[in-house]
Every structure is written in C-alpha cells, then in structure tokens.
C-alpha cells in the first residue's frame, strides 16, 4: 500500500495505475499495441471513451507508454515496465507440484558432476520458459598456488605452466622483452614457488602487484621480470569466468526480436559472453530475483530484452548466478518464480555433490 501511495504522490493516480497494469498484461499476452477501445473492455470500469483517452494521454506524458509509428495503439516503455514490476505485479509462488517437477527435471539428467548440473539447469530454464537460460560457473575463491614452471619457446616467448593445489593446470604463452635461458627461467620459477606456494591465488595476485608497484626499483631485474610473468598468469587463472547458455534459438520465435540485425547482435553476445557475465556479476551479492529491462542493462545489444536473474547458494554462500533472457514482453508472473525456485534447487543439488 505504501508503494502505491508513493506512486500516486508522484503523479500517477490509482486509476492510471490500474490502466497501466491492464494495458501491460494485455500487451504481454497478445503482443500487439493496445488501443483505447480494447482497454475500455478490459479495465472493468464504466468510463467514457474521452476519459479513457485522457488517462492514456496522461500515461504517455509520464513516459510510461508510447505509440509506435505504425499503430494508434500504445505499448509500455521501459519505465512503464519498471513501474509494473516494482509496484503493480503480484508474483504468486509456484505450486508444490510445479516445484517438484522442476526438481525432478534436474535429477533426471543424472548429471554426476558440477558442470553437468549447471548445463542441465540452463537447459531446464530454457525448456520451461521457452527463452534462453543462462547459468554462471562458480568462481573458485580459495584456489591455492602450488607451483609455476617456465619453458623457453622461440622468438621471445615463454610457456608458463601454473599448477593449483587442487591439481588444475593453466598454460599461458607469454611474450617477453627478451629471450631467456632455461637457467634464468628456472631461477624465476624457484623464486616464485618459494615466495608463494600454498597461498591463495587472490593473495598471490595482490602480493605480485604490490611488489611490482612499490618495490620495482629495489628488485633484481630478473626477479622483476619473474613477477611480471607471474602476474600475467595469475590474472588469467583468476579471470577465467564462464557461463552456460541454452535455448538461444528460442528467441528467434519472438516477433519482438525478429530483426536480423538484433538477432545477430544477441547471438554475438551469447558467443562472446563477456557482457552477459558482467551484467550478471552486478547482482552477484543482491538478495533474491533481480530484473534488467531493455536499456537498463547498459548494453545496446540487449535493448528489447529483459534479463531475470537470481543468485544460487551453496552452504549459504553465493557462488553464481542463473537466469532467463527473453523479450521485454515476457510473462514475468511466470518467469520470476521459476528463476527463483531453480536457483534454490540448483544450490541444493550442488551441495549434495
């Protein structure tokens, strides 16, 4: 009630709120601009055509709806969708049977490892919503540095081999300022292994950067070079984020996203992943379901799309994000609880692995 009163104080009457809610629900359902005659039939009020046109004009003046060039009807703007989601939409909890169906779908995949569960979750989100499902791969926050080795290659290049305490091996080819002998590279590796073995990767990265920035002039030249090479390798291992996306082709079925140019841009974003990862990371520590609508994402490629996300937890610690990407004209009332429940089911499944 407090939210509705606040809206009214900001210039949107309760009648206008009701009109906006009905208009958006009709637009989500039918996908076509909504005219005053259609709205008059659905608002459930005995009002004159002039009154209805006046209310729609007020909503348009407030930037909540707009009129496409090719139609006399109105469609919601991003601001209109935002008001709808924040103050007018009532999200119902999924029925017990629906929750069990989602849990059973994830179990039926018979995934035996984390990667399999994450892939299954993204596929399940896509299958249930008929949009694109996305799940980020958990970050390893406590990976420890075990050892590093450098091997000389040709033309001022060095192969760096980083081994973590859990046995993961990361290889990276480094371009160096000069050629190094095997003895010089062994000396550099011994220095780094002696200095950092057993430390968490984040601490190694921080220490390397600090030593390079504050004590470079006091370092032996070969040790400075060793730290620079270590910094490049640790940066790579720490930044190795990824996400699993399923159902991208579902988006081709929506007229809202039928533009070939827009689809090409979306598919590029799905392939490259960086922008989607950055978007999801913004809500990594937020509580509950979060939603980006259209241009709110800050990425032009996602204009016309909404992203509904939720964090998933293991032992009450947020380890990743999952969500659904689809047109702004999605059935939020349905999608929001599906994303929320899937996050909880995935977290519980991962805890048992």
């Amino acid at each position: 009630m407090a939210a509705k009163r606040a809206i009214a104080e900001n210039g949107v009457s309760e009648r206008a709120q009701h009109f906006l809610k009905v208009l958006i629900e009709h637009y989500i359902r039918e996908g076509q601009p909504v005219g005053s005659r259609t709205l008059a039939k659905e608002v459930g009020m005995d009002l004159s055509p002039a009154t209805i046109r006046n209310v729609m004009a007020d909503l348009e003046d407030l930037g909540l709806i707009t009129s496409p060039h090719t139609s006399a009807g109105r469609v919601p703007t991003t601001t209109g969708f935002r008001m709808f989601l924040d103050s007018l939409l009532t999200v119902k909890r999924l029925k017990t049977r629906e929750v069990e169906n989602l849990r059973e779908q994830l179990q039926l995949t018979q995934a035996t490892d984390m990667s399999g569960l994450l892939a299954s979750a993204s596929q399940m989100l896509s299958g249930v919503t008929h949009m694109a499902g996305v799940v980020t791969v958990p970050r390893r926050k406590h990976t420890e540095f075990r050892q590093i080795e450098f091997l000389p290659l040709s033309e001022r290049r060095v192969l760096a081999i980083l081994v973590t305490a859990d046995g993961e091996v990361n290889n990276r080819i480094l371009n160096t300022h000069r050629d190094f002998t095997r003895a010089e590279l062994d000396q550099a590796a011994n220095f780094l292994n002696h200095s950092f073995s057993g430390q968490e990767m984040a601490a190694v990265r921080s220490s390397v950067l600090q030593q390079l920035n504050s004590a470079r002039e006091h370092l032996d030249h070969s040790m400075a070079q060793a730290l620079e090479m270590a910094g490049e390798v640790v940066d790579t291992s720490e930044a190795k984020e990824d996400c699993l996306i399923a159902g991208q082709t579902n988006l081709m079925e929506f007229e809202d996203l039928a533009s070939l140019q827009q689809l090409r841009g979306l598919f590029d974003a799905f392939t490259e992943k960086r922008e989607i990862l950055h978007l999801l990371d913004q809500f990594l520590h937020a509580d509950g379901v979060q939603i980006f609508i259209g241009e709110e994402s800050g990425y032009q490629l996602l204009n016309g799309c909404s992203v509904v996300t939720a964090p998933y937890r293991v032992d009450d610690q947020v380890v990743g994000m999952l969500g659904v990407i689809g047109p702004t004209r999605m059935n939020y009332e349905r999608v929001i609880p599906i994303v929320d429940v899937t996050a909880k089911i995935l977290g519980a499944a991962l805890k048992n692995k």
Side-chain angles (χ1 to χ4, degrees):
M1 290 299 292
K4 289 188 177 181
R5 283 197 298 270
I7 293 171
E9 291 173 2
N10 288 331
V12 185
S13 67
E14 290 190 6
R15 175 190 287 176
Q17 293 173 44
H18 179 62
F19 273 54
L20 180 64
K21 184 174 187 291
V22 171
L23 184 148
I24 291 179
E25 287 173 343
H26 182 92
Y27 178 67
I28 287 173
R29 190 170 59 250
E30 303 296 336
Q32 298 296 324
V34 184
S36 57
R37 182 176 299 179
T38 300
L39 198 58
K41 294 177 181 178
E42 298 199 8
V43 293
M45 297 179 182
D46 186 14
L47 300 171
S48 69
T51 299
I52 292 174
R53 286 194 297 269
N54 288 338
V55 174
M56 292 182 75
D58 290 341
L59 291 172
E60 191 162 8
D61 290 342
L62 291 166
L64 300 173
I65 62 176
T66 187
S67 177
H69 296 300
T70 57
S71 172
R74 304 294 191 275
V75 298
T77 62
T78 297
T79 305
F81 270 122
R82 174 51 63 195
M83 178 177 286
F84 173 73
L85 290 174
D86 289 349
S87 306
L88 305 177
L89 177 66
T90 300
V91 177
K92 298 177 183 177
R93 299 176 65 177
L94 294 181
K95 296 178 181 178
T96 302
R97 182 66 256 175
E98 292 177 306
V99 175
E100 288 304 315
N101 284 341
L102 291 174
R103 185 176 287 112
E104 288 171 6
Q105 282 189 52
L106 198 61
Q107 291 173 345
L108 285 174
T109 61
Q110 298 181 339
T112 58
D113 58 6
M114 182 184 70
S115 297
L117 273 174
L118 300 180
S120 298
S122 65
Q123 292 163 7
M124 185 176 75
L125 282 169
S126 170
V128 173
T129 65
H130 305 291
M131 290 180 277
V134 56
V135 180
T136 65
V137 175
R139 297 178 176 181
R140 293 188 177 90
K141 292 188 175 180
H142 304 295
T143 301
E144 291 184 359
F145 177 100
R146 177 186 291 173
Q147 69 179 48
I148 195 167
E149 182 180 359
F150 298 115
L151 299 177
L153 302 175
S154 60
E155 299 177 352
R156 298 184 181 181
R157 294 184 305 154
V158 170
L159 174 63
I161 305 171
L162 173 67
V163 183
T164 63
D166 58 5
E168 182 176 343
V169 179
N170 294 282
N171 297 324
R172 171 110 185 251
I173 294 177
L174 307 176
N175 295 308
T176 59
H177 301 302
R178 64 179 179 86
D179 290 322
F180 286 86
T181 65
R182 181 60 187 264
E184 288 176 316
L185 293 176
D186 286 345
Q187 183 184 13
N190 290 337
F191 166 70
L192 295 169
N193 293 332
H194 177 76
S195 301
F196 301 119
S197 184
Q199 295 186 30
E200 289 186 6
M201 203 69 73
V204 173
R205 181 179 183 276
S206 177
S207 180
V208 166
L209 292 175
Q210 183 179 6
Q211 289 189 48
L212 281 172
N213 291 333
S214 64
R216 186 186 296 268
E217 64 273 14
H218 303 299
L219 290 172
D220 176 85
H221 180 70
S222 61
M223 295 304 99
Q225 184 73 53
L227 287 170
E228 288 179 1
M229 291 191 292
E232 288 189 51
V233 180
V234 172
D235 268 347
T236 301
S237 65
E238 283 293 283
K240 196 169 65 176
E241 300 177 56
D242 196 9
C243 63
L244 304 174
I245 304 174
Q248 301 95 311
T249 55
N250 288 340
L251 301 184
M252 298 173 68
E253 304 299 322
F254 294 95
E255 290 185 13
D256 316 51
L257 305 174
S259 162
L260 184 60
Q261 182 178 359
Q262 184 172 13
L263 282 172
R264 185 181 293 118
L266 275 173
F267 278 45
D268 285 346
F270 290 143
T271 301
E272 211 278 332
K273 296 182 181 180
R274 186 183 68 243
E275 292 177 345
I276 292 174
L277 281 165
H278 179 71
L279 185 64
L280 296 176
D281 279 351
Q282 293 182 46
F283 283 137
L284 192 61
H285 300 292
D287 188 30
V289 175
Q290 303 293 326
I291 304 170
F292 284 107
I293 309 166
E295 59 264 27
E296 288 180 352
S297 70
Y299 296 108
Q300 187 175 0
L301 293 175
L302 292 175
N303 287 357
C305 294
S306 285
V307 185
V308 181
T309 71
Y312 63 92
R313 293 175 167 82
V314 176
D315 294 327
D316 208 32
Q317 297 292 317
V318 175
V319 294
M321 299 288 294
L322 59 75
V324 166
I325 301 173
T328 55
R329 188 184 64 81
M330 69 168 65
N331 186 354
Y332 295 97
E333 185 177 355
R334 177 74 177 158
V335 172
I336 290 171
I338 287 174
V339 169
D340 186 36
V341 168
T342 302
K344 293 179 173 65
I345 292 174
L346 177 60
L350 288 171
K351 183 177 180 179
N352 295 328
K353 287 296 176 184

